[in-house]
Amino acid sequence: MIDIRILRESPEIIKEALAKRAYRIDLDAILTLDTSRRQTVHEVEQLRAEQNRASEEISKLKRAKQDAASAIAAMKTVSDRIKALEERVRETEQQLRDQCLVLPNIPHESVPVGPDESANRLERSWGDVPQFDFEVRDHVEVGQRLGILDFDCAAKISGARFTLSRGAGALLERALINFMLDVHTHQHGYTEILPPFLVSSACMQGAGQLPKFAEEAFRVEGRDLWLVPTAEVPLTNIHRDEILSAEQLPLKYTAYTPSFRSEAGSYGKDTRGMLRQHQFNKVELYKFTTPEQSWDELESLVRDAETILQRLGLAYRVMTLSTGDMGFASAKTYDLEVWLPGQGRYREISSCSNCTDFQARRANMRYRRDKKPEFMHTLNGSGLAIGRTVIAILENFQRKDGSVLIPNALQTYMGGLEIIKRG
RNA sequence: GGAGAGAUGGCCGAGUUGGUUGAAGGCGCACGCUUGGAAAGCGUGUGUACGUCUAAACCGCGUACCGCGGGUUCGAAUCCCGCUCUCUCCGCCA
């Protein structure tokens, strides 16, 4: 959420931010609501003060066994007036909140301005794109020939955009989860969390998924519960409505969860294989920091995610997303894109964002440095998306005979398995 | 699923014939005194938000907040209704 005071005092900052993101929102309407709210609130409070004074008088009269009927009658009208005004305050505040909740975060000045992914900026690359002396297969073909990925069976069970992993394929997913969690907890200092996979609307709103992106998530019928679209949602809400002490920050959490996404509006996009699924596994990184720490912490968070790709020996590049490609809650986002031989291009495998105080305002998460509590900054990143890592391994480490080499770092997690062969 | 109990400040815990209770008391915490130093003891202080004041902030002033949301009333932590959560017992279940 945007600080209403910024909008009130320096509306040009918000206007510019919206322009960069190509959002069209009527800020003047919001400002009018804000003014009207403050006026009405003031009026109510004046009346309440009067009511409180009178109430004290009535109390005294009653105790002195004197007649208070006239004073009570006089306050009746004040009371009615307060009720009417309070109703108006409620309405105005609701409208104001509704409108503020759809305002996106303000992009950081270092973010390239542009309409879409074409304006993203390359930061660096790592690793060599592998060369093959045979015709490469994509992960669907590799996986199906090895009998470890079964899309037909998944379709039978659940429909389109699901995958069933079998044997070494299932083991590979599990190994990747364990490997990533181990690296982040043992080497990068994150605390492992296993959160609920169903969350309330309040959590979804705190993380910025609601109200704007309801159609992209799955909701449990008849209950106020949503399937997590990312572990970011439960992790954000761990400290909802809390005031931490400055010494506790930064707090670093990592969590494995499945991620459920309806992928509404992506019909016909990435329909082949397990690139875009309704359900995929992910190990997430999440940080709560002070405003001073957050930009450095974003850099280290990206490096933590990069470590995984490096340890697996997968070529990748780091992109800074442009204002047009960036997520709603983010002030700056780096995407890690892994090389996929089956597609002959880089594809997103991790997205690392500094949401600054945007989620902290929505979820009311503060810390105390001196006297006054201040909003924290929150950061999140995939470390990494497991499904896409499987794709990358199957495609990058495939051999002419259809077998796939297991990266060294993963072998101990797979019972010493060095190679996945047919049968 | 059935029956019952409960939800008050960082924590514990008073307050239910509605009326100076933001809320007794205790613990904790902070500062000061005391001490060679510490403990004990003594004293003072110790929520948040919004509004207002201010160049801004502090302070001050006002308002709200006793799980959440409504209602009754001149006035609600206290009464009524709905919801959420926690606990106990029974049933079911991994």
Side-chain angles (χ1 to χ4, degrees):
Chain A
M1 193 142 66
I2 293 297
D3 186 352
I4 188 77
R5 259 171 294 209
I6 293 180
L7 181 58
R8 199 184 295 155
E9 285 153 27
S10 325
E12 67 282 357
I13 292 176
I14 312 293
K15 270 191 184 117
E16 192 191 331
L18 291 178
K20 282 179 177 177
R21 282 180 178 266
Y23 267 65
R24 286 181 50 202
I25 288 173
D26 185 3
L27 292 178
D28 291 333
I30 298 179
L31 284 170
T32 306
L33 279 173
D34 178 52
T35 308
S36 144
R37 184 191 73 90
R38 273 184 299 159
Q39 270 172 4
T40 319
V41 162
H42 190 69
E43 208 177 325
V44 168
E45 289 182 351
Q46 298 284 314
L47 288 172
R48 273 209 180 279
E50 187 189 335
Q51 187 180 55
N52 286 342
R53 280 192 299 271
S55 204
E56 223 167 283
E57 290 304 314
I58 293 170
S59 170
K60 277 180 190 158
L61 286 174
K62 288 246 178 186
R63 238 176 313 216
K65 305 283 188 204
Q66 291 178 26
D67 180 50
S70 65
I72 287 173
M75 289 320 291
K76 175 71 177 154
T77 53
V78 174
S79 174
D80 290 343
R81 176 94 180 118
I82 287 174
K83 269 188 194 122
L85 285 174
E86 276 185 332
E87 178 61 27
R88 217 161 85 200
V89 170
R90 265 201 294 275
E91 279 169 20
T92 311
E93 278 181 341
Q94 187 57 50
Q95 287 173 26
L96 189 59
R97 188 168 174 78
D98 287 350
Q99 299 206 21
C100 285
L101 281 174
V102 299
L103 292 175
N105 201 356
I106 302 169
H108 189 252
E109 57 195 18
S110 66
V111 172
V113 177
D116 51 37
E117 67 273 9
S118 66
N120 294 351
R121 183 208 300 140
L122 173 67
E123 297 296 335
R124 57 185 174 271
S125 311
W126 185 93
D128 296 320
V129 169
Q131 303 300 317
F132 296 89
D133 56 6
F134 58 92
E135 199 165 330
V136 293
R137 305 176 171 101
D138 75 355
H139 73 281
V140 176
E141 217 176 320
V142 173
Q144 284 177 335
R145 281 162 156 263
L146 290 171
I148 61 173
L149 297 182
D150 193 333
F151 300 100
D152 297 333
C153 184
K156 179 165 75 180
I157 296 169
S158 305
R161 292 206 191 281
F162 287 94
T163 304
L164 183 144
S165 299
R166 183 178 276 125
L171 177 58
L172 179 58
E173 288 256 346
R174 180 153 59 90
L176 282 168
I177 293 166
N178 286 333
F179 165 64
M180 291 182 197
L181 286 173
D182 279 352
V183 170
H184 294 315
T185 54
H186 297 150
Q187 289 168 35
H188 299 152
Y190 291 78
T191 301
E192 184 174 347
I193 303 287
L194 183 62
F197 300 164
L198 292 170
V199 296
S200 66
S201 292
C203 289
M204 292 286 277
Q205 186 176 312
Q209 319 290 324
L210 291 180
K212 218 170 151 29
F213 305 103
E215 68 285 353
E216 289 172 29
F218 288 109
R219 184 170 194 175
V220 177
E221 194 173 335
R223 306 206 44 171
D224 180 31
L225 286 173
W226 302 75
L227 273 69
V228 292
T230 159
E232 177 194 343
V233 175
L235 291 177
T236 301
N237 285 279
I238 288 176
H239 296 296
R240 181 151 52 99
D241 294 321
E242 287 184 14
I243 301 175
L244 303 177
S245 68
E247 298 80 61
Q248 290 175 267
L249 303 179
L251 271 172
K252 298 158 69 172
Y253 295 130
T254 183
Y256 152 73
T257 72
S259 301
F260 301 94
R261 300 187 182 177
S262 77
E263 293 298 339
S266 65
Y267 309 112
K269 207 169 167 187
D270 299 320
T271 50
R272 184 174 163 81
M274 62 189 293
L275 198 67
R276 191 176 297 276
Q277 304 279 274
H278 287 314
Q279 174 191 326
F280 61 94
N281 291 316
K282 182 155 61 71
V283 167
E284 183 78 358
L285 304 172
Y286 201 94
K287 294 183 181 181
F288 297 89
T289 79
T290 65
E292 291 74 29
Q293 297 167 331
S294 73
W295 296 106
D296 284 343
E297 291 292 340
L298 176 62
E299 297 303 319
S300 67
L301 189 142
V302 173
R303 284 197 297 274
D304 292 339
E306 284 182 67
T307 301
I308 302 295
L309 286 165
Q310 292 175 9
R311 295 273 298 273
L312 294 174
L314 293 166
Y316 68 90
R317 61 180 192 180
V318 182
M319 307 294 289
T320 302
L321 297 193
S322 73
T323 51
D325 201 21
M326 217 167 48
F328 177 72
S330 176
K332 182 174 187 175
T333 299
Y334 291 113
D335 267 12
L336 302 189
E337 298 183 342
V338 70
W339 177 256
L340 294 185
Q343 299 205 347
R345 63 182 182 122
Y346 289 97
R347 292 300 302 253
E348 175 190 342
I349 195 167
S350 170
S351 195
C352 303
S353 302
N354 184 355
C355 294
T356 58
D357 61 0
F358 188 81
Q359 291 176 326
R361 284 181 191 286
R362 290 182 159 236
N364 190 29
M365 303 185 288
R366 293 170 294 168
Y367 73 100
R368 197 188 304 273
R369 190 202 318 261
D370 301 310
K371 238 184 132 46
K372 267 260 179 218
E374 298 171 54
F375 288 108
M376 313 186 242
H377 278 197
T378 61
L379 300 87
N380 68 83
S382 349
L384 309 164
I386 304 291
R388 290 192 175 181
T389 308
V390 169
I391 295 174
I393 287 173
L394 296 185
E395 294 191 356
N396 279 279
F397 304 136
Q398 64 178 300
R399 300 196 302 179
K400 194 170 183 175
D401 65 1
S403 62
V404 173
L405 289 172
I406 302 299
N408 247 311
L410 231 44
Q411 289 174 8
T412 54
Y413 287 92
M414 296 186 69
L417 191 69
E418 294 173 15
I419 184 166
I420 302 179
K421 287 187 197 148
R422 190 145 186 203

